[in-house]
Amino acid sequence: MEKAVEAYLRQRVKAAGGIALKLVCPGWTGVPDRLIVLPGGRVYFAETKDLGKKPRLKQQLMHERLRALGFQVFVPDSKDAVDSMLEEIT
């Protein structure tokens, strides 16, 4: 299910004119799955999950760190959650 949510996220971001880059940061744990870059220099993070699942502790700590820097971090766990996220940021 998580892979389906992530694929849907990439599709929706592309349709909105942006890109959803896969984040791989060697040496860093808990980094969100996707860096969402939208027109106008807007940047967001997304951690996709299976329905009802929550981020692990290291992920939560990284999300808090990113939010403290002023970024928005989303944790969509369904296609509906992706749709809600895109409504908020586009």
Side-chain angles (χ1 to χ4, degrees):
M1 176 81 174
E2 182 176 339
K3 288 184 186 277
V5 173
E6 193 166 353
Y8 185 70
L9 171 75
R10 289 192 321 268
Q11 174 190 10
R12 287 293 316 275
V13 169
K14 183 178 180 181
I19 52 177
L21 300 168
K22 178 73 173 172
L23 285 180
V24 179
C25 300
W28 288 83
T29 57
V31 176
D33 297 320
R34 295 283 168 171
L35 174 67
I36 300 167
V37 183
L38 292 173
R42 295 173 293 148
V43 177
Y44 307 93
F45 293 91
E47 177 70 48
T48 55
K49 290 290 180 188
D50 283 330
L51 187 61
K53 299 288 182 176
K54 301 295 180 198
R56 296 183 313 271
L57 178 59
K58 286 190 176 191
Q59 291 173 325
Q60 291 174 21
L61 293 172
M62 180 58 75
H63 296 179
E64 289 174 15
R65 190 172 186 181
L66 291 167
R67 288 179 178 124
L69 291 170
F71 293 101
Q72 285 185 275
V73 181
F74 296 90
V75 185
D77 64 353
S78 67
K79 291 179 180 181
D80 286 341
V82 170
D83 289 340
S84 294
M85 179 189 82
L86 266 291
E87 285 178 25
E88 184 176 335
I89 66 176
T90 58

